Amino acid sequence: DRTESYGEYKLEYGNSLKIMGEYNDAYAILKEFVNETEDLERKKKAVLLINGIAKSSDFEDNVDAIIKPVHRNVNSPSSEAGPRSYGAELYYSSLNRKDELIYNGNLEGETHFKIYTTALNDKGDYGKGSALSDEINREGYHTGNPSFSADGQIMYFTRMLIEEGELLESKVYYSKRKGPNWGPSDMVEGDINGDYLIKYPAVGELYGRDVLFFSGQIEGGFGGYDIYYSEKTGENTFGTPVNLGETINTFYDEMTPFYREGEFFFSTEGYPGFGGMDIFKTTWDGTQWSEVMNMGSGYNSTYDDMYYTLDEAGLQGFLVSNRPAEKKRSVMSKTCCDDIFSVNMKELVIDLKALITDGTDPLKEA
């Protein structure tokens, strides 16, 4: 029966309409799907999408930051990921492909993600990125997601092996700073790298101890990729992964964690949002995480929004999105590939004029 067959596609159709911003039509189609389907998992997904539409007007509008694509010297027609500030430099990973798409994992030639670095020039634009040496970017592997220790002397990153479109291996590595360059890389030691896939290392702190946050597909989690942390137990050693719990993790994938001064950011489809992956925030009070909060429009769009980070001062940062943008260069459509966007906090200036009095008369020299 073609009608029944089409009915099961209403979830995908409704999701596509939501991503396109057609909320009213998406809501109607998804409600039909919920009423018709007997697949509990797919119904759960549809309800989540409906809740995102219903709550979208309650999410805050961004009035704090100016968000725009970084210079085309960084954003190529293919995909970029994992931006991270390092002093005055920007580190990021890129396929750096000019005019091709990758289909079904067909990775021929120079098609692996590498970590690049660049810095602002005199015009205030980023210069052309330079790939790090083969001490970091190992041939035949995808390399990305750099994160730096508090003193800037250690870089943690992910090295992944993909064959025929399947992710076979993903481990966390590190490299020590040696003058202006990075030294040889090695796998992080301890129990953090096990017989499972882990991605997106992010330096942080919990219970007064140095930890490494990351996304892991580990047995016993809540579903898909969950966010974990491992406590630093030695110079380059981290302990057994600990799940951050159901306050943060859901049945869906939780990705791209970032921690700064008690604030924790990550992306997921597991909470009501605008569409695709949204950026969420929670706060650590020393004993527990606060309720997860959608970062709101601007930070999030109806497309995929990930990799939110801030610099040490909290005034400038980045995110990654496949949202349409002015002058965007893509090998196919305006939403096929991920670009890096800069996040610059608006300066708040308050001129306060005060008069101190004793009764009705001003106090002299007060």
Side-chain angles (χ1 to χ4, degrees):
D1 186 345
R2 293 182 61 188
T3 303
E4 288 186 5
S5 176
Y6 171 76
E8 285 303 303
Y9 286 101
K10 286 183 179 179
L11 174 59
E12 288 73 23
Y13 182 39
N15 189 35
S16 296
L17 287 171
K18 183 179 178 183
I19 289 173
M20 294 168 60
E22 303 290 341
Y23 278 6
N24 290 336
D25 291 341
Y27 186 90
I29 291 293
L30 291 169
K31 286 290 286 186
E32 287 181 14
F33 177 79
V34 168
N35 293 331
E36 296 168 1
T37 187
E38 295 181 0
D39 187 323
L40 296 181
E41 290 300 337
R42 286 164 60 79
K43 178 182 284 190
K44 181 179 178 182
K45 173 68 173 179
V47 170
L48 183 62
L49 293 172
I50 289 171
N51 287 340
I53 294 172
K55 294 181 178 180
S56 61
S57 60
D58 297 331
F59 299 144
E60 293 184 0
D61 292 329
N62 165 41
V63 296
D64 302 322
I66 299 171
I67 300 173
K68 61 182 181 179
V70 301
H71 196 271
R72 58 194 301 152
N73 285 335
V74 173
N75 284 325
S76 71
S78 55
S79 288
E80 280 68 47
R84 193 62 62 96
S85 296
Y86 181 79
E89 297 176 277
L90 166 62
Y91 279 67
Y92 64 99
S93 53
S94 176
L95 281 172
N96 203 28
R97 294 171 67 88
K98 302 303 180 185
D99 54 8
E100 297 179 62
L101 279 176
I102 295 174
Y103 291 101
N104 299 324
N106 180 26
L107 303 177
E108 299 293 339
E110 192 61 41
T111 58
H112 291 86
F113 272 98
K114 293 182 178 181
I115 297 178
Y116 290 77
T117 182
T118 184
L120 291 171
N121 56 31
D122 294 339
K123 297 180 180 180
D125 296 323
Y126 284 104
K128 185 176 177 59
S130 300
L132 300 187
S133 72
D134 56 10
E135 298 275 19
I136 306 297
N137 293 314
R138 181 174 296 177
E139 184 177 354
Y141 286 79
H142 291 273
T143 309
N145 308 306
S147 181
F148 303 96
S149 60
D151 62 6
Q153 296 305 300
I154 300 176
M155 176 173 63
Y156 301 97
F157 60 93
T158 307
R159 186 173 287 161
M160 296 173 286
L161 177 63
I162 299 177
E163 292 184 0
E164 297 182 355
E166 182 180 359
L167 179 58
L168 302 178
E169 179 182 312
S170 183
K171 306 291 185 185
V172 176
Y173 284 72
Y174 74 94
S175 173
K176 293 184 178 180
R177 189 79 173 177
K178 289 193 172 182
N181 302 310
W182 294 99
S185 59
D186 203 353
M187 190 183 300
V188 169
E189 301 172 1
D191 297 327
I192 182 174
N193 282 312
D195 187 21
Y196 40 73
L197 303 173
I198 62 175
K199 303 178 181 180
Y200 315 116
V203 173
E205 180 184 346
L206 278 182
Y207 303 108
R209 303 181 182 94
D210 292 331
V211 302
L212 202 62
F213 295 102
F214 58 89
S215 294
Q217 197 172 56
I218 302 175
E219 186 177 354
F222 291 90
Y225 281 90
D226 282 358
I227 297 179
Y228 293 78
Y229 75 90
S230 287
E231 183 182 340
K232 187 173 184 179
T233 56
E235 184 179 9
N236 302 299
T237 306
F238 290 83
T240 303
V242 179
N243 193 297
L244 282 189
E246 62 184 350
T247 300
I248 291 175
N249 291 314
T250 71
F251 178 77
Y252 301 94
D253 291 336
E254 279 68 53
M255 317 287 272
T256 63
F258 175 72
Y259 178 92
R260 178 184 175 275
E261 296 182 357
E263 294 182 328
F264 189 75
F265 306 90
F266 64 99
S267 290
T268 184
E269 292 180 289
Y271 293 95
F274 290 92
M277 300 285 284
D278 272 13
I279 301 167
F280 293 85
K281 173 185 174 182
T282 180
T283 302
W284 177 251
D285 67 2
T287 59
Q288 62 184 357
W289 298 103
S290 66
E291 182 180 357
V292 169
M293 179 188 72
N294 190 295
M295 287 284 286
S297 64
Y299 294 102
N300 291 312
S301 66
T302 58
Y303 298 87
D304 288 326
D305 304 287
M306 304 175 289
Y307 292 103
Y308 181 71
T309 67
L310 288 170
D311 63 9
E312 186 175 348
L315 298 177
Q316 193 269 340
F318 303 96
L319 60 82
V320 171
S321 179
N322 68 332
R323 68 183 70 174
E326 186 179 356
K327 298 181 180 180
K328 182 170 183 175
R329 300 181 301 156
S330 297
V331 292
M332 194 174 177
S333 70
K334 290 295 184 181
T335 60
C336 78
C337 306
D338 293 327
D339 277 349
I340 298 173
F341 288 71
S342 63
V343 179
N344 291 283
M345 297 300 172
K346 299 174 183 176
E347 185 179 7
L348 178 63
V349 178
I350 299 175
D351 290 325
L352 182 62
K353 192 171 185 179
L355 179 65
I356 303 174
T357 66
D358 179 10
T360 58
D361 299 322
L363 287 179
K364 294 182 179 180
E365 300 180 4

